[in-house]
Every structure is written in structure tokens, then in C-alpha cells.
Amino acid sequence: MKRLLQEPLLHFALIGVALFLLYWIVSPEQESENQILIDDSDINEIVSKFELQWNRPPNAQELSGLMGEMIQQEVFYQEGLRLNLDHNDEIIKRRLSQKMQFLSNDLADMVQPSEDELQLHLDNNSEKFQTPAFYSFYQIYFSLDSGEDPKERARFVLDASNGKSFSEMRTEGDPIALKYYYEKITDFNLRRQLGTEFLISMQQLQTGSWVGPISSGYGYHLVYLEDVVAPKTPPLDEVREEVLADLNYVRQGELKASIFKELLSQYELVFDFQAEELSGVEEIIRNDLQE
């Protein structure tokens, strides 16, 4: 029983019931068919929007004009519904669908995860929150446009590198607008500057010696890997906000899927495909909806 009471889905269900009861208690009686009710909340919303745009409250004339626009919009909206103009309107469908999804997101946000749940989410998704890897290294570049085989030139320089200082090695190779020495460059920036293939090669290197040639989008390189700082998972206190945001996002998705399945079960899906090439599509769609 105790375990059941700790289930998040039970929390969501109880919140949904509570919201329904709250709405039933505080909602006004049904308006008559031709009644347009303007209350304090409408005025407050108009004033808030005006203040947000103009940094001051509207004067009486401006407020009257804005209320007139709101009433006109409501009249046209009600008449549009009466004429069934919302039927099959893609924009209206999309907007109402978004509002339903926002509602499910709000429900998910109302359940605050415990410390244990945050820690478990961090443990199970540690790759999302790890610090980047850092590389410190020297590099010499050999151009593809030098007129000579750049790989052979690189190998020749590598064979003769034993005993040479870093300042001596700097004069080898071809000029390029890249640094000779990179200090603690992240794996993300290393990939951005020299490409994925270069980063993969760097991940396999040992520190303390010149190696190569290593290919990049520019040409070939000899590399002296000085130091590598491996990625690590920080403690929860250092990434609490990120973990909380990610867990809430995951829960929003789970709750949205759960609500959708429950609502979908109340409908009968009817497919009426005539084109032969669409045979089998119905089964695919039904299977996807069940996932």
C-alpha cells in the first residue's frame, strides 16, 4: 500500500480529480446561449497585456477601446462556432491540441520529485550531465596543397622527432591558422575545429610522445598529446537545476503519452484508404499508437 501511494501516476490521477472538482466548485453557472460575460479576470488580462507592451496602465479611453475589441472578437467567435466554422480548421485544431498538452505539462510540474528520484535520474542518465573531456596538445600541420605527399612528409618528420624540443618541432610542417598548442580544449570545440575523425583519433592516443599522421578536414597532423581530462559526472548539488528540468521534461512526455492513450481508447479509429499503395499503413499506424 505504501509503495502504491508513492507511485507518480497515482499522484497525477489524484491531481486530475482535484482539478476537476475545483473547477466544478468554482466555475460559474452555464452562461445563456447569447450571453457574453465580462468579469474582473477579463479586465485584468487586458490591463496586464497593455502594461507589458507600453509599461503603463491604459487610460479610460484606451481601456474602453480594448474592451470593445475583446467583445467584438467574442461575438465573432461565438457566431463562428454557431456556423460551425471551426470544423476541420487546421489552425484551431493545432491550437486546442497545444492547450491540452500544456495542461498535461502543468499537471506533471505539480509533482515535485524527491531527492532520491533526482539522484536516480542523474545516475541513470549520467551521460547527459557529464563534464566535457579536455585535451591539451601540440600539433604540426601538413597541407594537402603542398605539392608533396603530406603523409610521407609527416612520417619523415615524426621519424626525426626524437630528442627535438617543442620549439624546434614548431618550425616543421606547413603554416595554418590553427594553434600550435591547445590547452584544455573541450571535445566539443575540438570536433568543431578539426572534425570528428580527428577527435576520434585523439580519444585513442596515449600521452607523452609525438604520433601521427592524423587526418583532419585540413590535411594531416603530427600530435603530441600532453594531457587528457576525462569526462565525469558531477554531484547532484552541482547540476540540480539541470537534472530537475530534464526529469520534469521526461515526466511531461510520459504523462502526455499516458493521457493520450487513455483518451484514444475512447475513440474508434476508422481508416478508409482506397489507394492500393496504402495497404498495410493502417496496421503500422495502429501499432505506432500503441507504443
Side-chain angles (χ1 to χ4, degrees), residues 119-291:
Q119 185 63 57
L120 181 62
H121 188 69
L122 173 60
D123 294 341
N124 291 340
N125 302 274
S126 58
E127 73 283 353
K128 290 184 177 180
F129 308 102
Q130 283 183 338
T131 59
F134 294 92
Y135 294 86
S136 299
F137 66 95
Y138 298 86
Q139 67 83 30
I140 304 169
Y141 166 69
F142 297 87
S143 172
L144 298 172
D145 301 323
S146 63
E148 302 178 43
D149 186 337
K151 294 181 72 173
E152 286 301 319
R153 292 174 54 218
R155 291 192 181 101
F156 179 80
V157 172
L158 180 64
D159 291 341
S161 64
N162 192 23
K164 286 189 175 180
S165 66
F166 290 119
S167 59
E168 290 173 324
M169 289 294 288
R170 185 169 192 164
T171 59
E172 306 289 349
D174 299 316
I176 188 174
L178 292 173
K179 291 181 179 179
Y180 173 56
Y181 177 63
Y182 285 87
E183 183 176 12
K184 292 185 177 179
I185 183 173
T186 64
D187 48 4
F188 174 81
N189 286 330
L190 185 57
R191 177 189 286 114
R192 191 172 62 175
Q193 291 192 28
L194 289 159
T196 300
E197 185 177 359
F198 188 91
L199 174 61
I200 292 174
S201 297
M202 292 289 285
Q203 291 171 336
Q204 301 169 355
L205 297 184
Q206 300 294 320
T207 60
S209 63
W210 284 98
V211 295
I214 293 175
S215 177
S216 77
Y218 297 102
Y220 292 92
H221 307 256
L222 293 182
V223 172
Y224 185 99
L225 183 58
E226 183 181 64
D227 188 32
V228 179
V229 179
K232 65 177 182 179
T233 303
L236 177 60
D237 284 343
E238 293 183 10
V239 288
R240 180 179 302 279
E241 294 300 320
E242 292 88 341
V243 174
L244 176 60
D246 191 69
L247 179 54
N248 283 339
Y249 177 78
V250 171
R251 286 185 166 179
Q252 287 173 2
E254 292 174 348
L255 182 59
K256 184 173 70 175
S258 176
I259 291 175
F260 171 67
K261 279 192 174 181
E262 176 60 28
L263 294 176
L264 181 63
S265 68
Q266 302 174 29
Y267 290 83
E268 178 190 8
L269 287 180
V270 178
F271 296 92
D272 186 18
F273 297 142
Q274 302 298 322
E276 185 176 345
E277 59 268 26
L278 293 179
S279 63
V281 171
E282 175 181 343
E283 183 178 357
I284 295 174
I285 296 174
R286 290 187 185 278
N287 289 336
D288 287 345
L289 290 174
Q290 293 303 318
E291 292 181 354

Side-chain angles (χ1 to χ4, degrees), residues 91-103:
I91 296 177
I92 293 176
K93 284 184 179 179
R94 188 181 306 126
R95 183 58 182 153
L96 290 178
S97 175
Q98 287 175 343
K99 294 183 79 169
M100 286 296 294
Q101 293 180 45
F102 291 154
L103 178 60

Side-chain angles (χ1 to χ4, degrees), residues 60-75:
Q61 185 176 3
E62 291 167 336
L63 183 58
S64 176
L66 292 170
M67 291 177 61
E69 292 176 5
M70 187 193 72
I71 293 171
Q72 183 186 65
Q73 176 180 280
E74 186 65 21
V75 169

